[in-house]
Amino acid sequence: MKGTKNKKTFCKVPAYHDSDIKKTGRFMFRVRQQIGCEGINRLVSGQNMGCSIGVLDTGVAPHPDLATNILAFKDFVNQRQQAYDDSGHGTHVCGIACGNGTLSNGRYRGIAPGTKLVVGKVLDHEGNGNIENMIEGIKWIIEKRKAYQIRILNVSIGVGEIQDKTRQESLIKWLGNAWDAGILVVCAAGHRGPEQDTLSPIGRGARVITVGCHDGEYFKDKPGRCETYSGRGSIRSSLRKPDLVAPGTEIMSCNAACTRRKGRYINAYIKKSGTSMATPIVSGALALYLSAHLECDNDMARKRLLYSATDLGEPWYKQGYGMVNIGRLME
């Protein structure tokens, strides 16, 4: 894996599966129905959500569905000033969390449309990154939390085992610092499953909300569904990890390669699969909840999120508390 010069690569975007867009209109709609969100996010779309989402990823493109959402952008890889995404992963993640669906008449809107974004580019065009950039990104999010009302940090990044445990512990410590600063850290379970004890190292601790992938009754016979490779916790752990699951197979969202030709936008959306896609669904759910409960601290919000989840009847080390359920969360 490639990384910044003279710095070891530590993480990368988990592998995902791009494919041609078929059966348009089905993908995000089925997700909203499945998690009890349909109808809820229409009530808050375009309103001041009262909190913003920090995203550390490959960046964000000024896609029409996201252009008005971007509060701040910082590039820790190439030190460019304007928002961009030379990979596409970060833009897709941001669209799932809070894209407003402008180019699809709302069809492909995200979970919490209208929520503002504070985006740090910590991964390069191939989705690779290093610990140093990631930590600097976390520090920046903590520093800007009050100015931009950041209450959630989305980390859709896969981290493998790091031989230098001091560096790994430093990264985990800074994620914990973000949590202690009042930011709900939401991270991907990773793609090392389906065996037990295959969670991304940053998802094993108590001061992060770890999201696995499960599509419920959808794609049951699909060999490549994300449930088959989503990272698992351990039956020996005192923590129920992952904390919960969300849909992550063939999620339609914003395409960084969207272009305008002769007055029309083309390649506006693309579908991808993985725990990276499940994670911003939970971040969006928390944004909806906090918009109505700004007084909630992290522990209260986390308990409400987990206790309102739908039990899928799966082992704890696979589903945690179950599937995120925004309908129950917002009751």
Side-chain angles (χ1 to χ4, degrees), residues 148-186:
Y148 297 125
Q149 297 179 297
I150 304 169
R151 287 296 312 276
I152 301 152
L153 173 58
N154 189 95
V155 185
S156 289
I157 293 173
V159 179
E161 292 294 338
I162 304 169
Q163 291 185 350
D164 185 344
K165 296 303 180 185
T166 300
R167 297 172 77 235
Q168 178 172 303
E169 289 170 4
S170 180
L171 173 60
I172 293 171
K173 174 187 174 183
W174 275 104
L175 287 171
N177 289 346
W179 183 278
D180 292 342
I183 300 171
L184 286 153
V185 180
V186 186

PDB file of all heavy atoms in Angstrom, residues 148-186:
ATOM      1  N   TYR A 148     -17.958  24.791  14.736  1.00  0.00           N
ATOM      2  CA  TYR A 148     -18.840  24.185  13.730  1.00  0.00           C
ATOM      3  C   TYR A 148     -19.877  23.244  14.325  1.00  0.00           C
ATOM      4  O   TYR A 148     -20.556  22.529  13.580  1.00  0.00           O
ATOM      5  CB  TYR A 148     -18.006  23.433  12.689  1.00  0.00           C
ATOM      6  CG  TYR A 148     -17.077  24.333  11.902  1.00  0.00           C
ATOM      7  CD1 TYR A 148     -15.721  24.068  11.836  1.00  0.00           C
ATOM      8  CD2 TYR A 148     -17.566  25.456  11.228  1.00  0.00           C
ATOM      9  CE1 TYR A 148     -14.856  24.890  11.104  1.00  0.00           C
ATOM     10  CE2 TYR A 148     -16.728  26.285  10.505  1.00  0.00           C
ATOM     11  CZ  TYR A 148     -15.373  25.995  10.445  1.00  0.00           C
ATOM     12  OH  TYR A 148     -14.531  26.812   9.725  1.00  0.00           O
ATOM     13  N   GLN A 149     -20.012  23.217  15.633  1.00  0.00           N
ATOM     14  CA  GLN A 149     -21.024  22.391  16.317  1.00  0.00           C
ATOM     15  C   GLN A 149     -20.909  20.920  15.926  1.00  0.00           C
ATOM     16  O   GLN A 149     -21.903  20.246  15.661  1.00  0.00           O
ATOM     17  CB  GLN A 149     -22.435  22.906  16.016  1.00  0.00           C
ATOM     18  CG  GLN A 149     -22.696  24.319  16.515  1.00  0.00           C
ATOM     19  CD  GLN A 149     -24.090  24.796  16.175  1.00  0.00           C
ATOM     20  OE1 GLN A 149     -24.464  24.928  15.020  1.00  0.00           O
ATOM     21  NE2 GLN A 149     -24.884  25.050  17.203  1.00  0.00           N
ATOM     22  N   ILE A 150     -19.686  20.413  15.908  1.00  0.00           N
ATOM     23  CA  ILE A 150     -19.459  19.013  15.522  1.00  0.00           C
ATOM     24  C   ILE A 150     -19.827  18.101  16.691  1.00  0.00           C
ATOM     25  O   ILE A 150     -19.233  18.173  17.757  1.00  0.00           O
ATOM     26  CB  ILE A 150     -17.990  18.778  15.129  1.00  0.00           C
ATOM     27  CG1 ILE A 150     -17.562  19.738  14.018  1.00  0.00           C
ATOM     28  CG2 ILE A 150     -17.781  17.327  14.679  1.00  0.00           C
ATOM     29  CD1 ILE A 150     -16.065  19.743  13.761  1.00  0.00           C
ATOM     30  N   ARG A 151     -20.793  17.238  16.480  1.00  0.00           N
ATOM     31  CA  ARG A 151     -21.198  16.287  17.511  1.00  0.00           C
ATOM     32  C   ARG A 151     -20.927  14.840  17.107  1.00  0.00           C
ATOM     33  O   ARG A 151     -21.013  13.932  17.931  1.00  0.00           O
ATOM     34  CB  ARG A 151     -22.692  16.436  17.831  1.00  0.00           C
ATOM     35  CG  ARG A 151     -23.070  17.665  18.614  1.00  0.00           C
ATOM     36  CD  ARG A 151     -22.453  17.695  20.016  1.00  0.00           C
ATOM     37  NE  ARG A 151     -22.612  16.447  20.732  1.00  0.00           N
ATOM     38  CZ  ARG A 151     -23.700  16.104  21.433  1.00  0.00           C
ATOM     39  NH1 ARG A 151     -24.727  16.930  21.494  1.00  0.00           N
ATOM     40  NH2 ARG A 151     -23.753  14.955  22.079  1.00  0.00           N
ATOM     41  N   ILE A 152     -20.627  14.618  15.835  1.00  0.00           N
ATOM     42  CA  ILE A 152     -20.441  13.259  15.321  1.00  0.00           C
ATOM     43  C   ILE A 152     -19.184  13.248  14.460  1.00  0.00           C
ATOM     44  O   ILE A 152     -18.939  14.180  13.688  1.00  0.00           O
ATOM     45  CB  ILE A 152     -21.654  12.822  14.472  1.00  0.00           C
ATOM     46  CG1 ILE A 152     -22.944  12.872  15.300  1.00  0.00           C
ATOM     47  CG2 ILE A 152     -21.447  11.423  13.892  1.00  0.00           C
ATOM     48  CD1 ILE A 152     -24.190  13.118  14.485  1.00  0.00           C
ATOM     49  N   LEU A 153     -18.378  12.188  14.580  1.00  0.00           N
ATOM     50  CA  LEU A 153     -17.226  11.980  13.717  1.00  0.00           C
ATOM     51  C   LEU A 153     -17.381  10.641  13.021  1.00  0.00           C
ATOM     52  O   LEU A 153     -17.428   9.596  13.670  1.00  0.00           O
ATOM     53  CB  LEU A 153     -15.923  12.003  14.525  1.00  0.00           C
ATOM     54  CG  LEU A 153     -14.643  11.617  13.757  1.00  0.00           C
ATOM     55  CD1 LEU A 153     -14.437  12.522  12.560  1.00  0.00           C
ATOM     56  CD2 LEU A 153     -13.431  11.648  14.687  1.00  0.00           C
ATOM     57  N   ASN A 154     -17.484  10.663  11.694  1.00  0.00           N
ATOM     58  CA  ASN A 154     -17.632   9.443  10.903  1.00  0.00           C
ATOM     59  C   ASN A 154     -16.268   8.993  10.397  1.00  0.00           C
ATOM     60  O   ASN A 154     -15.558   9.735   9.712  1.00  0.00           O
ATOM     61  CB  ASN A 154     -18.564   9.700   9.717  1.00  0.00           C
ATOM     62  CG  ASN A 154     -18.939   8.431   8.983  1.00  0.00           C
ATOM     63  OD1 ASN A 154     -19.990   7.840   9.254  1.00  0.00           O
ATOM     64  ND2 ASN A 154     -18.111   8.000   8.046  1.00  0.00           N
ATOM     65  N   VAL A 155     -15.916   7.731  10.715  1.00  0.00           N
ATOM     66  CA  VAL A 155     -14.626   7.162  10.300  1.00  0.00           C
ATOM     67  C   VAL A 155     -14.901   5.865   9.539  1.00  0.00           C
ATOM     68  O   VAL A 155     -14.916   4.778  10.115  1.00  0.00           O
ATOM     69  CB  VAL A 155     -13.707   6.908  11.516  1.00  0.00           C
ATOM     70  CG1 VAL A 155     -12.338   6.433  11.049  1.00  0.00           C
ATOM     71  CG2 VAL A 155     -13.563   8.166  12.367  1.00  0.00           C
ATOM     72  N   SER A 156     -15.130   5.997   8.240  1.00  0.00           N
ATOM     73  CA  SER A 156     -15.380   4.825   7.387  1.00  0.00           C
ATOM     74  C   SER A 156     -14.060   4.324   6.814  1.00  0.00           C
ATOM     75  O   SER A 156     -13.858   4.275   5.598  1.00  0.00           O
ATOM     76  CB  SER A 156     -16.349   5.189   6.256  1.00  0.00           C
ATOM     77  OG  SER A 156     -17.657   5.389   6.737  1.00  0.00           O
ATOM     78  N   ILE A 157     -13.155   3.955   7.709  1.00  0.00           N
ATOM     79  CA  ILE A 157     -11.802   3.584   7.318  1.00  0.00           C
ATOM     80  C   ILE A 157     -11.467   2.223   7.905  1.00  0.00           C
ATOM     81  O   ILE A 157     -11.765   1.950   9.075  1.00  0.00           O
ATOM     82  CB  ILE A 157     -10.787   4.636   7.813  1.00  0.00           C
ATOM     83  CG1 ILE A 157     -11.007   5.969   7.070  1.00  0.00           C
ATOM     84  CG2 ILE A 157      -9.356   4.163   7.628  1.00  0.00           C
ATOM     85  CD1 ILE A 157     -10.168   7.102   7.592  1.00  0.00           C
ATOM     86  N   GLY A 158     -10.843   1.380   7.106  1.00  0.00           N
ATOM     87  CA  GLY A 158     -10.401   0.082   7.589  1.00  0.00           C
ATOM     88  C   GLY A 158      -8.968   0.159   8.078  1.00  0.00           C
ATOM     89  O   GLY A 158      -8.093   0.684   7.392  1.00  0.00           O
ATOM     90  N   VAL A 159      -8.734  -0.342   9.263  1.00  0.00           N
ATOM     91  CA  VAL A 159      -7.391  -0.329   9.844  1.00  0.00           C
ATOM     92  C   VAL A 159      -6.970  -1.763  10.129  1.00  0.00           C
ATOM     93  O   VAL A 159      -7.654  -2.492  10.846  1.00  0.00           O
ATOM     94  CB  VAL A 159      -7.353   0.493  11.153  1.00  0.00           C
ATOM     95  CG1 VAL A 159      -5.962   0.466  11.760  1.00  0.00           C
ATOM     96  CG2 VAL A 159      -7.777   1.928  10.882  1.00  0.00           C
ATOM     97  N   GLY A 160      -5.847  -2.159   9.575  1.00  0.00           N
ATOM     98  CA  GLY A 160      -5.317  -3.484   9.851  1.00  0.00           C
ATOM     99  C   GLY A 160      -4.509  -3.490  11.136  1.00  0.00           C
ATOM    100  O   GLY A 160      -4.342  -2.459  11.797  1.00  0.00           O
ATOM    101  N   GLU A 161      -4.012  -4.654  11.511  1.00  0.00           N
ATOM    102  CA  GLU A 161      -3.175  -4.741  12.696  1.00  0.00           C
ATOM    103  C   GLU A 161      -1.859  -3.982  12.444  1.00  0.00           C
ATOM    104  O   GLU A 161      -1.225  -4.136  11.407  1.00  0.00           O
ATOM    105  CB  GLU A 161      -2.877  -6.202  13.030  1.00  0.00           C
ATOM    106  CG  GLU A 161      -4.096  -6.983  13.491  1.00  0.00           C
ATOM    107  CD  GLU A 161      -4.644  -6.480  14.818  1.00  0.00           C
ATOM    108  OE1 GLU A 161      -3.898  -5.851  15.579  1.00  0.00           O
ATOM    109  OE2 GLU A 161      -5.840  -6.717  15.081  1.00  0.00           O
ATOM    110  N   ILE A 162      -1.485  -3.152  13.403  1.00  0.00           N
ATOM    111  CA  ILE A 162      -0.282  -2.338  13.286  1.00  0.00           C
ATOM    112  C   ILE A 162       0.792  -2.940  14.171  1.00  0.00           C
ATOM    113  O   ILE A 162       0.592  -3.128  15.377  1.00  0.00           O
ATOM    114  CB  ILE A 162      -0.575  -0.880  13.698  1.00  0.00           C
ATOM    115  CG1 ILE A 162      -1.734  -0.330  12.855  1.00  0.00           C
ATOM    116  CG2 ILE A 162       0.662  -0.015  13.549  1.00  0.00           C
ATOM    117  CD1 ILE A 162      -2.272   0.994  13.338  1.00  0.00           C
ATOM    118  N   GLN A 163       1.931  -3.257  13.585  1.00  0.00           N
ATOM    119  CA  GLN A 163       3.002  -3.899  14.354  1.00  0.00           C
ATOM    120  C   GLN A 163       3.497  -3.012  15.479  1.00  0.00           C
ATOM    121  O   GLN A 163       3.803  -3.485  16.567  1.00  0.00           O
ATOM    122  CB  GLN A 163       4.151  -4.282  13.416  1.00  0.00           C
ATOM    123  CG  GLN A 163       3.807  -5.409  12.454  1.00  0.00           C
ATOM    124  CD  GLN A 163       5.003  -5.842  11.623  1.00  0.00           C
ATOM    125  OE1 GLN A 163       6.046  -5.198  11.618  1.00  0.00           O
ATOM    126  NE2 GLN A 163       4.842  -6.944  10.905  1.00  0.00           N
ATOM    127  N   ASP A 164       3.591  -1.725  15.214  1.00  0.00           N
ATOM    128  CA  ASP A 164       4.012  -0.780  16.245  1.00  0.00           C
ATOM    129  C   ASP A 164       2.797  -0.443  17.112  1.00  0.00           C
ATOM    130  O   ASP A 164       1.991   0.426  16.788  1.00  0.00           O
ATOM    131  CB  ASP A 164       4.570   0.487  15.601  1.00  0.00           C
ATOM    132  CG  ASP A 164       5.150   1.461  16.623  1.00  0.00           C
ATOM    133  OD1 ASP A 164       4.861   1.301  17.820  1.00  0.00           O
ATOM    134  OD2 ASP A 164       5.892   2.371  16.210  1.00  0.00           O
ATOM    135  N   LYS A 165       2.653  -1.144  18.222  1.00  0.00           N
ATOM    136  CA  LYS A 165       1.467  -0.983  19.069  1.00  0.00           C
ATOM    137  C   LYS A 165       1.392   0.405  19.695  1.00  0.00           C
ATOM    138  O   LYS A 165       0.301   0.884  20.017  1.00  0.00           O
ATOM    139  CB  LYS A 165       1.451  -2.056  20.161  1.00  0.00           C
ATOM    140  CG  LYS A 165       1.315  -3.479  19.615  1.00  0.00           C
ATOM    141  CD  LYS A 165       0.066  -3.641  18.762  1.00  0.00           C
ATOM    142  CE  LYS A 165      -0.073  -5.058  18.214  1.00  0.00           C
ATOM    143  NZ  LYS A 165      -1.231  -5.172  17.297  1.00  0.00           N
ATOM    144  N   THR A 166       2.537   1.063  19.853  1.00  0.00           N
ATOM    145  CA  THR A 166       2.528   2.413  20.412  1.00  0.00           C
ATOM    146  C   THR A 166       1.780   3.361  19.477  1.00  0.00           C
ATOM    147  O   THR A 166       0.993   4.202  19.926  1.00  0.00           O
ATOM    148  CB  THR A 166       3.962   2.918  20.633  1.00  0.00           C
ATOM    149  OG1 THR A 166       4.626   2.039  21.540  1.00  0.00           O
ATOM    150  CG2 THR A 166       3.957   4.327  21.211  1.00  0.00           C
ATOM    151  N   ARG A 167       2.018   3.212  18.185  1.00  0.00           N
ATOM    152  CA  ARG A 167       1.338   4.059  17.201  1.00  0.00           C
ATOM    153  C   ARG A 167      -0.152   3.743  17.151  1.00  0.00           C
ATOM    154  O   ARG A 167      -0.996   4.638  17.041  1.00  0.00           O
ATOM    155  CB  ARG A 167       1.973   3.864  15.826  1.00  0.00           C
ATOM    156  CG  ARG A 167       3.427   4.278  15.765  1.00  0.00           C
ATOM    157  CD  ARG A 167       4.087   3.898  14.456  1.00  0.00           C
ATOM    158  NE  ARG A 167       3.711   4.798  13.379  1.00  0.00           N
ATOM    159  CZ  ARG A 167       3.186   4.418  12.226  1.00  0.00           C
ATOM    160  NH1 ARG A 167       2.951   3.138  11.999  1.00  0.00           N
ATOM    161  NH2 ARG A 167       2.905   5.303  11.288  1.00  0.00           N
ATOM    162  N   GLN A 168      -0.479   2.469  17.229  1.00  0.00           N
ATOM    163  CA  GLN A 168      -1.883   2.075  17.238  1.00  0.00           C
ATOM    164  C   GLN A 168      -2.590   2.624  18.469  1.00  0.00           C
ATOM    165  O   GLN A 168      -3.705   3.152  18.371  1.00  0.00           O
ATOM    166  CB  GLN A 168      -1.997   0.557  17.193  1.00  0.00           C
ATOM    167  CG  GLN A 168      -3.437   0.033  17.242  1.00  0.00           C
ATOM    168  CD  GLN A 168      -3.510  -1.463  16.997  1.00  0.00           C
ATOM    169  OE1 GLN A 168      -3.051  -1.956  15.978  1.00  0.00           O
ATOM    170  NE2 GLN A 168      -4.074  -2.185  17.950  1.00  0.00           N
ATOM    171  N   GLU A 169      -1.953   2.507  19.616  1.00  0.00           N
ATOM    172  CA  GLU A 169      -2.550   3.010  20.856  1.00  0.00           C
ATOM    173  C   GLU A 169      -2.711   4.526  20.825  1.00  0.00           C
ATOM    174  O   GLU A 169      -3.661   5.074  21.379  1.00  0.00           O
ATOM    175  CB  GLU A 169      -1.692   2.581  22.046  1.00  0.00           C
ATOM    176  CG  GLU A 169      -1.781   1.084  22.339  1.00  0.00           C
ATOM    177  CD  GLU A 169      -0.746   0.629  23.350  1.00  0.00           C
ATOM    178  OE1 GLU A 169      -0.017   1.498  23.870  1.00  0.00           O
ATOM    179  OE2 GLU A 169      -0.678  -0.588  23.608  1.00  0.00           O
ATOM    180  N   SER A 170      -1.781   5.210  20.147  1.00  0.00           N
ATOM    181  CA  SER A 170      -1.883   6.667  20.034  1.00  0.00           C
ATOM    182  C   SER A 170      -3.117   7.054  19.224  1.00  0.00           C
ATOM    183  O   SER A 170      -3.843   7.994  19.587  1.00  0.00           O
ATOM    184  CB  SER A 170      -0.621   7.220  19.379  1.00  0.00           C
ATOM    185  OG  SER A 170      -0.698   8.624  19.254  1.00  0.00           O
ATOM    186  N   LEU A 171      -3.363   6.337  18.134  1.00  0.00           N
ATOM    187  CA  LEU A 171      -4.548   6.595  17.320  1.00  0.00           C
ATOM    188  C   LEU A 171      -5.823   6.354  18.111  1.00  0.00           C
ATOM    189  O   LEU A 171      -6.745   7.181  18.115  1.00  0.00           O
ATOM    190  CB  LEU A 171      -4.522   5.711  16.081  1.00  0.00           C
ATOM    191  CG  LEU A 171      -5.766   5.730  15.191  1.00  0.00           C
ATOM    192  CD1 LEU A 171      -6.038   7.123  14.662  1.00  0.00           C
ATOM    193  CD2 LEU A 171      -5.623   4.726  14.040  1.00  0.00           C
ATOM    194  N   ILE A 172      -5.876   5.229  18.811  1.00  0.00           N
ATOM    195  CA  ILE A 172      -7.057   4.897  19.610  1.00  0.00           C
ATOM    196  C   ILE A 172      -7.261   5.930  20.719  1.00  0.00           C
ATOM    197  O   ILE A 172      -8.389   6.335  21.024  1.00  0.00           O
ATOM    198  CB  ILE A 172      -6.914   3.473  20.192  1.00  0.00           C
ATOM    199  CG1 ILE A 172      -6.951   2.442  19.046  1.00  0.00           C
ATOM    200  CG2 ILE A 172      -8.011   3.179  21.204  1.00  0.00           C
ATOM    201  CD1 ILE A 172      -6.597   1.033  19.471  1.00  0.00           C
ATOM    202  N   LYS A 173      -6.158   6.395  21.307  1.00  0.00           N
ATOM    203  CA  LYS A 173      -6.239   7.419  22.355  1.00  0.00           C
ATOM    204  C   LYS A 173      -6.873   8.694  21.819  1.00  0.00           C
ATOM    205  O   LYS A 173      -7.737   9.300  22.471  1.00  0.00           O
ATOM    206  CB  LYS A 173      -4.847   7.710  22.895  1.00  0.00           C
ATOM    207  CG  LYS A 173      -4.816   8.864  23.890  1.00  0.00           C
ATOM    208  CD  LYS A 173      -3.395   9.233  24.268  1.00  0.00           C
ATOM    209  CE  LYS A 173      -3.367  10.482  25.142  1.00  0.00           C
ATOM    210  NZ  LYS A 173      -1.983  10.912  25.456  1.00  0.00           N
ATOM    211  N   TRP A 174      -6.481   9.119  20.612  1.00  0.00           N
ATOM    212  CA  TRP A 174      -7.020  10.360  20.066  1.00  0.00           C
ATOM    213  C   TRP A 174      -8.488  10.227  19.686  1.00  0.00           C
ATOM    214  O   TRP A 174      -9.260  11.190  19.834  1.00  0.00           O
ATOM    215  CB  TRP A 174      -6.177  10.832  18.898  1.00  0.00           C
ATOM    216  CG  TRP A 174      -5.008  11.635  19.373  1.00  0.00           C
ATOM    217  CD1 TRP A 174      -3.708  11.242  19.457  1.00  0.00           C
ATOM    218  CD2 TRP A 174      -5.069  12.961  19.899  1.00  0.00           C
ATOM    219  NE1 TRP A 174      -2.936  12.248  20.001  1.00  0.00           N
ATOM    220  CE2 TRP A 174      -3.749  13.316  20.276  1.00  0.00           C
ATOM    221  CE3 TRP A 174      -6.082  13.888  20.086  1.00  0.00           C
ATOM    222  CZ2 TRP A 174      -3.434  14.559  20.825  1.00  0.00           C
ATOM    223  CZ3 TRP A 174      -5.787  15.128  20.634  1.00  0.00           C
ATOM    224  CH2 TRP A 174      -4.484  15.456  20.992  1.00  0.00           C
ATOM    225  N   LEU A 175      -8.908   9.053  19.255  1.00  0.00           N
ATOM    226  CA  LEU A 175     -10.336   8.841  19.038  1.00  0.00           C
ATOM    227  C   LEU A 175     -11.087   8.938  20.361  1.00  0.00           C
ATOM    228  O   LEU A 175     -12.186   9.502  20.423  1.00  0.00           O
ATOM    229  CB  LEU A 175     -10.568   7.477  18.381  1.00  0.00           C
ATOM    230  CG  LEU A 175     -10.173   7.353  16.909  1.00  0.00           C
ATOM    231  CD1 LEU A 175     -10.249   5.902  16.457  1.00  0.00           C
ATOM    232  CD2 LEU A 175     -11.048   8.234  16.020  1.00  0.00           C
ATOM    233  N   GLY A 176     -10.494   8.405  21.417  1.00  0.00           N
ATOM    234  CA  GLY A 176     -11.080   8.529  22.746  1.00  0.00           C
ATOM    235  C   GLY A 176     -11.134   9.973  23.206  1.00  0.00           C
ATOM    236  O   GLY A 176     -12.088  10.402  23.864  1.00  0.00           O
ATOM    237  N   ASN A 177     -10.107  10.756  22.866  1.00  0.00           N
ATOM    238  CA  ASN A 177     -10.104  12.174  23.215  1.00  0.00           C
ATOM    239  C   ASN A 177     -11.258  12.907  22.531  1.00  0.00           C
ATOM    240  O   ASN A 177     -11.877  13.808  23.111  1.00  0.00           O
ATOM    241  CB  ASN A 177      -8.782  12.819  22.809  1.00  0.00           C
ATOM    242  CG  ASN A 177      -7.619  12.371  23.675  1.00  0.00           C
ATOM    243  OD1 ASN A 177      -7.811  11.787  24.741  1.00  0.00           O
ATOM    244  ND2 ASN A 177      -6.405  12.625  23.222  1.00  0.00           N
ATOM    245  N   ALA A 178     -11.533  12.525  21.283  1.00  0.00           N
ATOM    246  CA  ALA A 178     -12.661  13.127  20.571  1.00  0.00           C
ATOM    247  C   ALA A 178     -13.973  12.797  21.285  1.00  0.00           C
ATOM    248  O   ALA A 178     -14.845  13.659  21.462  1.00  0.00           O
ATOM    249  CB  ALA A 178     -12.698  12.639  19.124  1.00  0.00           C
ATOM    250  N   TRP A 179     -14.105  11.543  21.708  1.00  0.00           N
ATOM    251  CA  TRP A 179     -15.308  11.133  22.457  1.00  0.00           C
ATOM    252  C   TRP A 179     -15.429  11.935  23.745  1.00  0.00           C
ATOM    253  O   TRP A 179     -16.512  12.450  24.079  1.00  0.00           O
ATOM    254  CB  TRP A 179     -15.233   9.642  22.750  1.00  0.00           C
ATOM    255  CG  TRP A 179     -16.443   9.093  23.452  1.00  0.00           C
ATOM    256  CD1 TRP A 179     -16.709   9.145  24.790  1.00  0.00           C
ATOM    257  CD2 TRP A 179     -17.560   8.425  22.852  1.00  0.00           C
ATOM    258  NE1 TRP A 179     -17.912   8.555  25.057  1.00  0.00           N
ATOM    259  CE2 TRP A 179     -18.460   8.096  23.892  1.00  0.00           C
ATOM    260  CE3 TRP A 179     -17.879   8.057  21.548  1.00  0.00           C
ATOM    261  CZ2 TRP A 179     -19.657   7.430  23.659  1.00  0.00           C
ATOM    262  CZ3 TRP A 179     -19.067   7.385  21.322  1.00  0.00           C
ATOM    263  CH2 TRP A 179     -19.941   7.078  22.364  1.00  0.00           C
ATOM    264  N   ASP A 180     -14.338  12.071  24.467  1.00  0.00           N
ATOM    265  CA  ASP A 180     -14.358  12.812  25.724  1.00  0.00           C
ATOM    266  C   ASP A 180     -14.669  14.289  25.514  1.00  0.00           C
ATOM    267  O   ASP A 180     -15.158  14.968  26.436  1.00  0.00           O
ATOM    268  CB  ASP A 180     -13.014  12.674  26.440  1.00  0.00           C
ATOM    269  CG  ASP A 180     -12.766  11.249  26.943  1.00  0.00           C
ATOM    270  OD1 ASP A 180     -13.740  10.479  27.042  1.00  0.00           O
ATOM    271  OD2 ASP A 180     -11.592  10.917  27.220  1.00  0.00           O
ATOM    272  N   ALA A 181     -14.401  14.790  24.312  1.00  0.00           N
ATOM    273  CA  ALA A 181     -14.694  16.186  23.991  1.00  0.00           C
ATOM    274  C   ALA A 181     -16.158  16.382  23.593  1.00  0.00           C
ATOM    275  O   ALA A 181     -16.563  17.497  23.257  1.00  0.00           O
ATOM    276  CB  ALA A 181     -13.783  16.666  22.864  1.00  0.00           C
ATOM    277  N   GLY A 182     -16.936  15.306  23.631  1.00  0.00           N
ATOM    278  CA  GLY A 182     -18.351  15.405  23.323  1.00  0.00           C
ATOM    279  C   GLY A 182     -18.719  15.046  21.903  1.00  0.00           C
ATOM    280  O   GLY A 182     -19.829  15.348  21.443  1.00  0.00           O
ATOM    281  N   ILE A 183     -17.813  14.372  21.192  1.00  0.00           N
ATOM    282  CA  ILE A 183     -18.070  13.976  19.809  1.00  0.00           C
ATOM    283  C   ILE A 183     -18.327  12.472  19.758  1.00  0.00           C
ATOM    284  O   ILE A 183     -17.500  11.681  20.210  1.00  0.00           O
ATOM    285  CB  ILE A 183     -16.869  14.329  18.908  1.00  0.00           C
ATOM    286  CG1 ILE A 183     -16.601  15.838  18.947  1.00  0.00           C
ATOM    287  CG2 ILE A 183     -17.107  13.856  17.479  1.00  0.00           C
ATOM    288  CD1 ILE A 183     -15.309  16.242  18.272  1.00  0.00           C
ATOM    289  N   LEU A 184     -19.456  12.078  19.210  1.00  0.00           N
ATOM    290  CA  LEU A 184     -19.772  10.660  19.053  1.00  0.00           C
ATOM    291  C   LEU A 184     -18.963  10.100  17.884  1.00  0.00           C
ATOM    292  O   LEU A 184     -19.161  10.489  16.730  1.00  0.00           O
ATOM    293  CB  LEU A 184     -21.261  10.480  18.776  1.00  0.00           C
ATOM    294  CG  LEU A 184     -22.186  10.680  19.982  1.00  0.00           C
ATOM    295  CD1 LEU A 184     -23.562  11.124  19.526  1.00  0.00           C
ATOM    296  CD2 LEU A 184     -22.282   9.409  20.801  1.00  0.00           C
ATOM    297  N   VAL A 185     -18.026   9.218  18.176  1.00  0.00           N
ATOM    298  CA  VAL A 185     -17.162   8.643  17.161  1.00  0.00           C
ATOM    299  C   VAL A 185     -17.830   7.386  16.604  1.00  0.00           C
ATOM    300  O   VAL A 185     -18.098   6.433  17.348  1.00  0.00           O
ATOM    301  CB  VAL A 185     -15.775   8.308  17.733  1.00  0.00           C
ATOM    302  CG1 VAL A 185     -14.881   7.702  16.653  1.00  0.00           C
ATOM    303  CG2 VAL A 185     -15.124   9.554  18.330  1.00  0.00           C
ATOM    304  N   VAL A 186     -18.101   7.382  15.302  1.00  0.00           N
ATOM    305  CA  VAL A 186     -18.775   6.263  14.643  1.00  0.00           C
ATOM    306  C   VAL A 186     -17.810   5.683  13.623  1.00  0.00           C
ATOM    307  O   VAL A 186     -17.386   6.376  12.693  1.00  0.00           O
ATOM    308  CB  VAL A 186     -20.074   6.723  13.947  1.00  0.00           C
ATOM    309  CG1 VAL A 186     -20.839   5.527  13.400  1.00  0.00           C
ATOM    310  CG2 VAL A 186     -20.947   7.526  14.912  1.00  0.00           C
TER     311      VAL A 186
END
